[in-house]
Amino acid sequence: MDIKELFKSEIQVINIGLNNFKESLDRAGFKSVNVDWSPPEGGDIEILELLEKFETIKTKIDVYKANEEAVNRVLFSKPKLVGMAKAIDVIPGMKKNMILHAGPPITWERMCGPMKGAIFGAIFFEGLAKNEREAEEMIKNGEIEFSPCHNHQAVGPMAGVISPNMSVYIVENETYGNKAFSPLNDEGVVKSLRMGAYTPEVIERLKWMEQNFYPAIDKAIRYLGSIDLKAIIAQALHMGDEGHSRHKASTSLLFRILAPAIVKTTKDSCLAEQILKSIDVNDFTFLNLSMAAAKVSLDAARNIYGSTMVVAMARNGVEFGIQISGLGDEWFTAKAEIPTNALYFGKFTKEVANPDIGDSSITETYGLGAFALACSPTFIQFVKGTVNDAIYKTQMMYEITLKENNVYQIPFLNFRGTPTGIDIKLVLEKGIVPFIDTAIAHKEPNIGIIGAGFAQAPFEVFKKAMTAYIQRYSYI
Amino acid sequence: MFLKGAILKGRYYDSITLMSVAKELRNLEGVEEILIVMGTQQNKLILKSLDMYINEFDEARDNELLIAVKTSNEKLCDEVISKAQDLLSTRTIERKEEHKYEPKSLDSALKILPNSNIALISVPGQFAAYEAMNALRKGLHVMIFSDNVPFEKAYEIKKYGREKGLLVMGPGCGTAIINGAPLGFANVINRGDIGIVSSGGTGLQEVCCIITNMGGGISQAIGTGGDDVKKHFEGMSFITGLEALIEDNDTKVIVLISKPPDLEVLEKIGEVIKKSKKPIIGAFLGVEKEIIKNYGAIPAQNLEEAALLAISYSKGIPWSFFLEKIKETENMLMEKAKIVSKTFTDEQKFFRGLFQGGTLAYENQVILKNFVKTLYSNVPLKSNIKLENPWFSKEHTVIDFGDEFFTVGRLHPQLNYELRNQRILSEARDKSVAIIYLDIVIGFGTNPDPKSELLPVLLEIKKTSNVLIIITITGTDKDPQNKKDLIESFKNLGIEVFERNATASKFAGYILKFIGG
């Protein structure tokens, strides 16, 4: 609008800074809106420099188009559960002596307690060693190879450990044809492998799942043909789930689909009852599917030239890492924090908590979890929050995402789509980092879950990613 | 006295929060001074100059918060520091618990108010530049209230705005009134046919108020910030504003207000003036009348004259009528000054002008120059002398508390009266001082209650000192602060109150002449 026109128009003001200037406009009867401004990362000038360089790159590359492509790929992905198999048989790059883990790459020496515990558990499960000493010896001799789940189209909650003979869900992206894999959920008791416990009961339960649960579920899925995970998640959001830390609705919906098929395909009715009961008692059954659905959709958006969209956020219990669509498979990492806004069970406190861990933040990357928190007032109660808190958190996430989801909706926000597609540029510009719903493991192995609450992605990883982006694209 | 400090990391607070916390703690018994500022290089220098610096601050980064406390005993220092931390943290929690969602960026704000046409920016300088550029790219006009915008950035912004035909007011622009909308520090004015471009904020307010109080009206009041008329900015905003007013059908008369621009810039402005058919009044304070005339503008010696000339052209009232009035007033002032000058002791000789408004401080000097030989100031006219240390006055002194020297790490003096209040008290203790001169600028955006800010200080002075207090109030009757009540309360204390800085300055000038200062 040129100045002449301005003098003839109704003045409407965006006020960035001192609040009382807006109050003046209110009192004088003019329309205005306040920006709740704060400087990026408490006033880091380097961020401004990065953002300015980014503006220059934008004149050479159509970043908008690249991001449009990336986020649309996420939105149009159709994750379907098509069956199960042993990890070694289906996971690309999986080896007989390989154990996959959550988060960015890490060596044995640097691994945290719960991850080490889960790896012991996996070694015992595989029958490779009889005790911790033997297991540690093997590891130190280099007989075991470690690799992040994410590098193998896989994701796992908490320690995220997958060993060759564990069975995994196979989720296929109907639109783009790619696949993703996730292990079974062994929740149900406080001690679980994913939380770093490896007591005999834990191993026994894993064995039971491999021998009974896996074949039965596999048969049922194959009998059904496939299960549309997106449809389940969309409904579950309307029913009070947020797709990361609350899966009561999604697990129930899955149960309704699976139950007749299990009855049909499992000859032994006592076993069928056991299988159904084990789903019934474990609200987190669907978590691993939600994660795989997220993974398969985000993988379809990888490697889009020029895109600044985040395609993975993951933690290994020591470091928090992200990957960016336009930057290949490189990880950008920073120290993982201990969640402070959390509820600790019983006698546990944050002094004994392990820093943030797990691939489950893939759900936030996908537009679920804390990004869909407004769907889940029940979960917010868990950390003594209010419904308003939940809505507020989700609203903040719209600030750093590219689009609103076309399928996942939030009833409380008039069915707005969940914020989807984190953009590192927006994170940097606004100084808002992604919120993440999370569970907390004890820092020592063998103790398990001690709490749950909210974590935040460290700002540093976004800064590092943008620095790399600018290096990569300023040679164009 | 004990001095202690602390560094707080990883938190951002707006200056209002910092001010209110510091204010609360400064009132505690035994606290001499407390400063809470971000750890920028500039702020560190300020702390040093105030003897509030500790070596630990060397380590602090720009985005870390520094707390420096001076108290009567060591224990109290620690208490105040920990209290400051408590207050700061509770304030954030309060804000968080409200959880009222407000957009976090211009882009999100545009989703809420898609027809926005002006961005009003008052965040720290470096960030203001980024926000302003973003707003311009989105096609919004901008007003940048913030100071300390790096030169190259400010230049780039102004140039971009000029190329795109967008108004860029500022950086360092305190006041604008566009279509009656008050932006920054602004008054409730009458709408009318007088358009104004001004490099100074309070100058703009003063002229707007005189025009309104005289029954005239304003079409647009465009501020540019003081630096705009300096050589390196080429008067870009000033000229854009002037051209817009020349083209604007609702503007009949134009007033230009500024401290002396650099000559090259004045030349450029002059070229534009020459092309205009509308009467243009040039109040370039301190610039030779003849120079202004040569460009085809009508010269005004001070802000009052500029406002009256504008009304004269707007309403078609002959200038001789106003000249008559001005003369009458001067005679009256002189008579009154004669009487007042007899009430001083032999020691009382000097003038101390303590200003919130930069252009008012300047106008005051322009007028006093006719009455006294030398004036000291932190913002001197060419013919006056720059104060070596603005914290200490010398003979006749004019201080502008809006100057960057005082505002870095503090809120603007129109909002925060504290620093000037302290200075008033110390000036009153000086037996050689005859007149303390204060301006009060009211209106939107400024301090909502100047009376309770200032009255206690003045009451205290009245008890112990024979000093004469002169107050000038810039404002209109419709401003949110009750101007009439304000004038009444000060008059009741025996204070001389005026509604125009020029009139008040002349009054002070005559007194000084009579007491031979």
Side-chain angles (χ1 to χ4, degrees):
Chain A
M1 168 188 298
D2 74 12
I3 302 173
K4 244 189 190 169
E5 224 176 298
L6 175 74
F7 289 166
K8 300 221 174 323
S9 310
E10 179 194 356
I11 299 296
Q12 300 189 16
V13 180
I14 293 179
N15 183 46
I16 310 173
L18 295 170
N19 283 357
N20 59 333
F21 290 163
K22 179 190 161 35
E23 286 160 23
S24 303
L25 288 159
D26 289 346
R27 289 183 63 171
F30 289 88
K31 278 189 200 159
S32 65
V33 56
N34 246 349
V35 171
D36 180 17
W37 186 90
S38 58
E41 191 58 359
D44 187 343
I45 297 301
E46 286 171 33
I47 304 286
L48 271 190
E49 286 161 8
L50 286 175
L51 287 169
E52 274 155 12
K53 284 183 192 153
F54 179 73
E55 288 299 327
T56 324
I57 286 177
K58 260 171 65 182
T59 60
K60 293 182 279 186
I61 302 175
D62 195 340
V63 180
Y64 174 81
K65 204 171 135 206
N67 281 337
E68 188 77 1
E69 169 77 16
V71 72
N72 281 345
R73 277 170 170 252
V74 174
L75 297 178
F76 297 125
S77 282
K78 278 193 189 148
K80 296 211 160 154
L81 175 60
V82 295
M84 296 196 68
K86 290 226 174 288
I88 185 78
D89 295 332
V90 286
I91 290 186
M94 190 68 182
K95 298 177 191 166
K96 276 183 185 162
N97 66 338
M98 183 179 271
I99 294 178
L100 305 183
H101 62 79
I106 188 164
T107 57
W108 172 257
E109 288 71 28
R110 296 187 62 225
M111 278 181 197
C112 65
M115 186 171 280
K116 283 185 169 172
I119 283 167
F120 281 146
I123 290 173
F124 298 155
F125 167 80
E126 293 285 334
L128 296 172
K130 282 196 272 310
N131 55 44
E132 293 154 43
R133 199 179 45 78
E134 271 183 40
E136 194 142 11
E137 196 113 314
M138 288 181 75
I139 294 166
K140 291 205 166 139
N141 290 339
E143 291 167 46
I144 306 283
E145 209 176 308
F146 297 114
S147 188
C149 290
H150 266 293
N151 293 7
H152 300 264
Q153 298 175 27
V155 276
M158 301 306 282
V161 161
I162 305 174
S163 63
N165 285 298
M166 285 183 187
S167 43
V168 290
Y169 293 114
I170 306 166
V171 173
E172 204 173 292
N173 191 336
E174 201 182 78
T175 320
Y176 301 101
N178 60 312
K179 287 182 184 156
F181 309 93
S182 64
L184 286 167
N185 193 286
D186 64 337
E187 186 84 38
V189 279
V190 172
K191 284 193 196 319
S192 61
L193 186 77
R194 69 195 186 92
M195 292 286 172
Y198 56 96
T199 57
E201 312 89 78
V202 171
I203 308 301
E204 216 165 279
R205 185 169 157 79
L206 283 178
K207 290 278 181 200
W208 178 85
M209 290 176 78
E210 292 310 314
Q211 283 150 18
N212 302 290
F213 190 87
Y214 150 58
I217 300 288
D218 184 41
K219 264 187 268 174
I221 301 167
R222 291 187 195 272
Y223 171 77
L224 289 165
S226 69
I227 297 173
D228 185 344
L229 298 178
K230 204 161 189 174
I232 294 180
I233 295 167
Q235 289 177 69
L237 294 181
H238 284 197
M239 295 163 72
D241 280 1
E242 39 68 277
H244 180 173
S245 285
R246 190 178 197 270
H247 295 283
K248 214 175 177 69
S250 55
T251 300
S252 306
L253 291 169
L254 179 70
F255 185 93
R256 283 170 63 174
I257 296 168
L258 278 177
I262 289 172
V263 171
K264 178 86 182 176
T265 55
T266 303
K267 295 287 170 278
D268 179 350
S269 65
C270 287
L271 181 62
E273 187 197 12
Q274 268 183 18
I275 304 287
L276 287 169
K277 269 193 172 164
S278 82
I279 297 175
D280 181 43
V281 298
N282 181 5
D283 281 344
F284 278 85
T285 302
F286 196 80
L287 167 65
N288 301 46
L289 289 168
S290 173
M291 288 172 60
K295 172 70 176 165
V296 90
S297 308
L298 288 157
D299 274 0
R302 276 177 185 263
N303 300 312
I304 292 171
Y305 182 83
S307 168
T308 51
M309 191 182 82
V310 179
V311 291
M313 294 196 288
R315 313 87 98 197
N316 57 29
V318 178
E319 283 176 327
F320 188 107
I322 60 170
Q323 294 177 305
I324 311 303
S325 175
L327 294 174
D329 290 336
E330 192 178 344
W331 285 97
F332 304 96
T333 61
K335 190 168 167 266
E337 299 294 337
I338 293 170
T340 45
N341 185 3
L343 176 75
Y344 288 92
F345 305 147
K347 61 183 193 310
F348 296 114
T349 61
K350 71 171 196 287
E351 277 66 44
V352 296
N354 197 75
D356 207 16
I357 181 169
D359 286 336
S360 60
S361 41
I362 194 72
T363 57
E364 274 81 8
T365 323
Y366 183 46
L368 300 175
F371 285 52
L373 202 58
C375 290
S376 195
T378 323
F379 176 70
I380 194 88
Q381 267 194 323
F382 194 75
V383 284
K384 297 194 178 121
T386 62
V387 175
N388 251 350
D389 293 337
I391 293 172
Y392 179 79
K393 281 204 161 66
T394 292
Q395 278 174 317
M396 293 286 279
M397 296 301 100
Y398 283 114
E399 296 280 354
I400 54 169
T401 45
L402 294 163
K403 276 204 171 170
E404 297 185 8
N405 207 287
N406 53 349
V407 174
Y408 302 144
Q409 300 168 326
I410 305 171
F412 282 103
L413 296 177
N414 270 329
F415 299 94
R416 262 180 103 172
T418 65
T420 308
I422 302 163
D423 179 0
I424 54 170
K425 186 251 178 177
L426 293 173
V427 170
L428 245 61
E429 186 177 51
K430 305 194 186 181
I432 300 172
V433 290
F435 289 118
I436 295 164
D437 295 342
T438 194
I440 301 162
H442 197 287
K443 65 182 175 187
E444 298 301 330
N446 253 339
I447 298 174
I449 186 169
I450 61 165
F454 298 110
Q456 288 192 359
F459 188 80
E460 202 184 331
V461 295
F462 298 94
K463 191 175 165 186
K464 283 183 180 170
M466 183 54 97
T467 309
Y469 181 93
I470 281 161
Q471 259 176 358
R472 161 76 181 74
Y473 288 100
S474 48
Y475 295 107
I476 310 305
Chain B
M1 281 294 159
F2 284 87
L3 172 67
K4 275 205 167 173
I7 302 173
L8 287 190
K9 293 180 188 189
R11 283 247 67 96
Y12 166 77
Y13 298 96
D14 59 61
S15 47
I16 297 209
T17 306
L18 294 181
M19 178 190 83
S20 65
V21 169
K23 190 171 176 180
E24 203 166 324
L25 296 169
R26 203 172 282 130
N27 287 336
L28 293 177
E29 183 85 32
V31 175
E32 194 201 350
E33 177 63 296
I34 172 163
L35 284 171
I36 310 178
V37 294
M38 302 309 287
T40 59
Q41 220 34 50
Q42 237 161 345
N43 281 347
K44 286 179 186 172
L45 287 174
I46 296 279
L47 287 169
K48 278 178 188 159
S49 77
L50 293 173
D51 274 335
M52 293 291 284
Y53 193 84
I54 58 165
N55 293 335
E56 283 82 347
F57 289 163
D58 288 349
E59 310 291 318
R61 294 172 35 192
D62 282 9
N63 57 347
E64 290 167 0
L65 198 65
L66 310 182
I67 305 178
V69 183
K70 211 182 251 180
T71 65
S72 52
N73 68 72
E74 194 173 356
K75 203 174 133 237
L76 187 60
C77 262
D78 294 329
E79 281 171 20
V80 173
I81 286 173
S82 90
K83 190 136 189 230
Q85 296 183 0
D86 284 354
L87 285 173
L88 286 170
S89 62
T90 48
R91 251 157 250 243
T92 5
I93 289 165
E94 268 167 30
R95 186 162 160 188
K96 268 190 184 156
E97 269 171 0
E98 274 173 31
H99 277 211
K100 194 178 139 273
Y101 173 79
E102 279 183 336
K104 291 289 288 183
S105 68
L106 181 103
D107 299 36
S108 337
L110 272 172
K111 282 182 195 156
I112 296 171
L113 209 58
N115 294 325
S116 301
N117 37 30
I118 294 181
L120 171 50
I121 299 163
S122 54
V123 299
Q126 276 129 328
F127 303 101
Y130 182 80
E131 299 292 338
M133 205 57 201
N134 192 19
L136 289 171
R137 283 197 195 103
K138 296 261 154 32
L140 277 81
H141 302 268
V142 298
M143 166 160 162
I144 309 163
F145 182 86
S146 325
D147 288 321
N148 299 316
V149 174
F151 167 70
E152 300 78 27
K153 302 275 178 219
Y155 186 86
E156 194 186 327
I157 291 164
K158 282 173 182 274
K159 193 153 177 274
Y160 186 89
R162 185 143 176 81
E163 281 164 13
K164 301 275 163 179
L166 295 167
L167 204 50
V168 176
M169 297 180 278
C173 173
T175 299
I177 306 170
I178 305 296
N179 284 4
L183 304 172
F185 300 143
N187 304 83
V188 184
I189 45 109
N190 295 340
R191 298 300 308 281
D193 57 11
I194 301 170
I196 311 175
V197 184
S198 172
S199 67
T202 39
L204 185 54
Q205 283 186 280
E206 175 85 355
V207 172
C208 283
C209 290
I210 297 175
I211 290 173
T212 294
N213 293 337
M214 295 283 292
I218 313 290
S219 57
Q220 310 293 345
I222 299 165
T224 70
D227 286 344
D228 187 74
V229 292
K230 289 187 184 150
K231 190 166 141 193
H232 39 256
F233 283 122
E234 303 156 15
M236 276 190 277
S237 304
F238 205 92
I239 289 169
T240 306
L242 172 58
E243 286 171 344
L245 292 179
I246 291 173
E247 279 185 43
D248 178 34
N249 292 332
D250 296 330
T251 300
K252 196 168 121 192
V253 185
I254 297 171
V255 182
L256 305 178
I257 306 164
S258 177
K259 293 183 199 172
D262 279 338
L263 281 179
E264 297 92 323
V265 178
L266 189 60
E267 185 81 16
K268 278 186 183 166
I269 296 171
E271 291 304 315
V272 182
I273 296 175
K274 275 182 193 164
K275 281 184 239 156
S276 167
K277 293 194 184 75
K278 294 181 182 177
I280 296 182
I281 293 142
F284 297 101
L285 303 182
V287 175
E288 292 291 321
K289 263 185 177 184
E290 291 308 314
I291 299 178
I292 299 170
K293 263 190 195 162
N294 284 343
Y295 293 123
I298 304 134
Q301 293 183 62
N302 53 50
L303 300 171
E304 181 188 42
E305 207 174 287
L308 299 180
L309 274 165
I311 292 174
S312 155
Y313 280 93
S314 159
K315 303 230 172 211
I317 304 169
W319 179 237
S320 55
F321 168 82
F322 290 98
L323 270 180
E324 199 71 20
K325 288 261 171 207
I326 292 173
K327 228 174 244 165
E328 270 174 40
T329 313
E330 278 213 47
N331 288 334
M332 193 266 293
L333 290 173
M334 201 163 65
E335 291 307 318
K336 199 170 173 186
K338 232 179 242 167
I339 303 165
V340 172
S341 59
K342 302 204 169 96
T343 64
F344 296 109
T345 67
D346 291 345
E347 273 178 289
Q348 289 184 286
K349 289 276 172 244
F350 297 123
F351 175 85
R352 300 290 152 85
L354 309 176
F355 284 86
Q356 297 176 332
T359 322
L360 297 181
Y362 212 77
E363 186 187 37
N364 178 261
Q365 291 184 64
V366 168
I367 292 169
L368 284 188
K369 207 176 66 175
N370 303 324
F371 297 93
V372 299
K373 247 194 244 143
T374 33
L375 259 170
Y376 292 85
S377 177
N378 63 331
V379 286
L381 296 184
K382 266 195 192 132
S383 53
N384 286 337
I385 302 170
K386 194 169 168 82
L387 267 185
E388 262 169 49
N389 185 345
W391 294 109
F392 297 102
S393 303
K394 205 170 167 186
E395 299 172 14
H396 300 305
T397 293
V398 170
I399 297 286
D400 170 17
F401 283 97
D403 187 58
E404 254 175 43
F405 178 85
F406 292 109
T407 54
V408 175
R410 284 178 199 273
L411 220 50
H412 194 279
Q414 283 187 34
L415 277 169
N416 184 359
Y417 277 50
E418 239 167 281
L419 199 61
R420 185 171 76 168
N421 281 351
Q422 288 168 12
R423 185 65 168 260
I424 295 172
L425 289 171
S426 69
E427 299 291 1
R429 281 192 289 269
D430 183 342
K431 294 272 182 272
S432 70
V433 173
I435 301 170
I436 292 178
Y437 186 103
L438 307 168
D439 62 340
I440 297 176
V441 185
I442 59 173
F444 283 126
T446 64
N447 197 304
D449 189 9
K451 190 169 126 184
S452 62
E453 293 278 351
L454 201 52
L455 215 51
V457 180
L458 302 180
L459 272 170
E460 195 168 329
I461 297 179
K462 282 278 157 197
K463 278 188 243 160
T464 53
S465 158
N466 186 42
V467 72
L468 174 74
I469 298 159
I470 299 175
I471 289 179
T472 173
I473 298 178
T474 299
T476 73
D477 293 336
K478 292 179 212 145
D479 280 332
Q481 301 90 341
N482 187 336
K483 191 178 92 177
K484 283 210 171 93
D485 172 62
L486 209 54
I487 294 173
E488 196 101 334
S489 336
F490 291 129
K491 280 194 167 158
N492 285 343
L493 275 183
I495 289 165
E496 297 294 342
V497 188
F498 295 86
E499 291 183 63
R500 290 180 201 169
N501 186 50
T503 322
S505 300
K506 284 177 202 161
F507 180 55
Y510 281 116
I511 295 173
L512 293 175
K513 198 172 166 188
F514 291 132
I515 60 178

